Amino acid sequence: MLIVMHHSATDEQVQAVTNAVEAMGLIAEPIPGSLRTAIGVLGNQGYVDDTTIRELPGVREVIHVSKPYKLVSRDFHPESSVVEAGGVKFGDGQPPVIIAGPCSVESEEQMLAAARLVKQHGAHMLRGGAFKPRTGPHSFQGLGVEGLKYLRQAGDAEGLPVITEVMRIEQLETICRFADVLQVGARNMQNFDLLKEVGKTGHPVLLKRGMSATIEEFLSAAEYILAEGNARVILCERGIRTFERATRNTLDLSIVPLIREMSHLPIVVDPSHATGRRSLVGPMAKAAIVVGAHGVMIEVHPDPDRALCDGAQSLNGDDFSKLVAELVRLQELLGSV
Ligand code: PEP
Ligand code: MN
């Protein structure tokens, strides 16, 4: 960290900043210049919280060299991580993972039918929400623990690992018993207490980007999980909130190559929640693979028009089958370029 003082800063102010840095257990190295003094801060293991320093008299600017998300950044971990979750591998050198299934678990029959269908057409992991974060309280809220049972049963019937969303800390123990991967949804990306507890479980986690989260906030959220000793984190871009209303969200595809530069963690894309429109899911899933996503998460329902949640963005079996065939072909092509 480098602290830049105002040109008018007095020697006393420089000394006060030096004292404050040393009080934090760090080394302060004043660097006098012809116009102003800068103070180099040494001895920190990572990002330093600058809130007190920034406000001291005479301080013009604080420049950080270390990032606030050191565990997820490539600075401290240059090699890409491959995250294994339920027997499936996410990361560089692995074929893109296809996670598919309905938005919500609705019944035993619906889940068995969905699992059969996605497995038959080539999915590697089954999704289904049992605890649903719905915008309004009058919408279907999910079947809860009963839903977890149907999801697990359907996954086992087809030999697919399962992923489901956790919304509250109290649900964690039960969900860990039923699911191979914990999903932290967009609305909970900055639920820091939940992130810490998810980190403590050691269970694989798919962390979705918050709808208004910057990349720094997204990576800092992942840092909470890694800071608890759990490095089995898969990031997921699911679209962000912009002025555009023609699509449910705006898919920020540039985050994929950018995250791959900044972080060693794998990243997947959810074109279903990003677009909210069935016809756009396939094109954006293909685009995601082209820009380097390690997988896609697709909402698929045996009867989308009767879905209790997100039917408009859900593919039926035929659409999903066509899309998987295209993704496989695309992967072959990309492998040869
Ligand atoms: C979901 O995947 O079920 C979901 C609610 O998505 P998001 O958190 O991205 O809105
Ligand atoms: Mn959904």
Side-chain angles (χ1 to χ4, degrees):
M1 187 164 88
L2 189 70
I3 304 163
V4 182
M5 303 299 291
H6 278 293
H7 67 274
S8 57
T10 62
D11 290 349
E12 289 72 31
Q13 288 173 339
V14 172
Q15 188 57 50
V17 172
T18 303
N19 294 347
V21 169
E22 287 172 355
M24 293 165 82
L26 302 169
I27 300 159
E29 198 74 66
I31 313 161
S34 54
L35 273 181
R36 55 175 56 93
T37 296
I39 301 167
V41 177
L42 309 170
N44 50 310
Q45 293 298 315
Y47 188 81
V48 177
D49 184 354
D50 67 8
T51 32
T52 48
I53 303 278
R54 233 174 20 206
E55 300 307 322
L56 291 175
V59 172
R60 177 174 181 253
E61 194 183 357
V62 178
I63 300 168
H64 288 275
V65 182
S66 307
K67 301 192 177 71
Y69 42 86
K70 77 170 187 178
L71 298 172
V72 310
S73 97
R74 282 200 189 264
D75 293 354
F76 291 83
H77 193 298
E79 325 79 51
S80 300
S81 290
V82 173
V83 173
E84 187 273 332
V88 175
K89 289 183 175 159
F90 297 77
D92 286 3
Q94 312 296 321
V97 176
I98 301 173
I99 306 169
C103 182
S104 309
V105 179
E106 298 170 5
S107 68
E108 185 178 9
E109 298 70 38
Q110 171 247 17
M111 221 40 236
L112 286 169
R116 200 177 314 123
L117 192 143
V118 301
K119 169 74 180 198
Q120 182 193 346
H121 298 306
H124 307 108
M125 189 176 285
L126 180 65
R127 65 152 286 148
F131 298 95
K132 294 301 304 175
R134 303 305 301 278
T135 301
H138 306 301
S139 304
F140 176 59
Q141 302 286 308
L143 297 181
V145 178
E146 192 191 351
L148 294 178
K149 289 182 188 157
Y150 298 152
L151 173 68
R152 181 79 259 172
Q153 185 191 358
D156 287 347
E158 297 297 333
L160 288 170
V162 301
I163 174 168
T164 199
E165 177 162 354
V166 55
M167 295 204 297
R168 291 193 288 123
I169 292 171
E170 304 87 87
Q171 296 161 351
L172 261 177
E173 201 191 322
T174 311
I175 295 182
C176 282
R177 277 194 282 118
F178 285 98
D180 300 285
V181 186
L182 302 170
Q183 177 171 319
V184 175
R187 290 157 191 79
N188 273 310
M189 190 209 81
Q190 285 191 316
N191 182 339
F192 302 119
D193 287 342
L194 178 65
L195 297 175
K196 285 183 198 166
E197 294 305 315
V198 160
K200 285 182 193 151
T201 66
H203 229 65
V205 188
L206 182 132
L207 175 66
K208 295 188 115 184
R209 181 184 187 180
M211 55 187 89
S212 307
T214 63
I215 291 176
E216 182 166 314
E217 287 163 345
F218 188 22
L219 292 178
S220 299
E223 184 83 3
Y224 268 92
I225 302 172
L226 270 77
E228 296 296 336
N230 184 1
R232 298 166 81 188
V233 175
I234 303 142
L235 302 169
C236 179
E237 159 65 29
R238 46 77 73 205
I240 48 175
R241 183 68 69 92
T242 68
F243 55 81
E244 183 54 68
R245 303 268 36 98
T247 48
R248 184 172 176 181
N249 290 288
T250 298
L251 181 57
D252 178 12
L253 270 186
S254 60
I255 197 180
V256 175
L258 187 54
I259 288 268
R260 288 182 57 142
E261 280 176 22
M262 297 167 78
S263 173
H264 55 91
L265 296 175
I267 176 159
V268 303
V269 168
D270 170 353
S272 306
H273 291 91
T275 63
R277 294 164 77 121
R278 197 176 293 161
S279 63
L280 304 183
V281 169
M284 298 319 278
K286 287 182 274 185
I289 298 304
V290 172
V291 296
H294 297 108
V296 286
M297 178 185 256
I298 313 280
E299 285 191 339
V300 179
H301 195 286
D303 188 357
D305 294 337
R306 299 215 184 152
L308 295 182
C309 182
D310 288 351
Q313 66 194 35
S314 300
L315 303 189
N316 63 24
D318 286 348
D319 293 338
F320 180 63
S321 153
K322 245 185 268 157
L323 174 58
V324 175
E326 286 174 351
L327 293 178
V328 169
R329 278 235 332 117
L330 193 54
Q331 186 55 21
E332 287 164 5
L333 283 170
L334 289 170
S336 64
V337 291

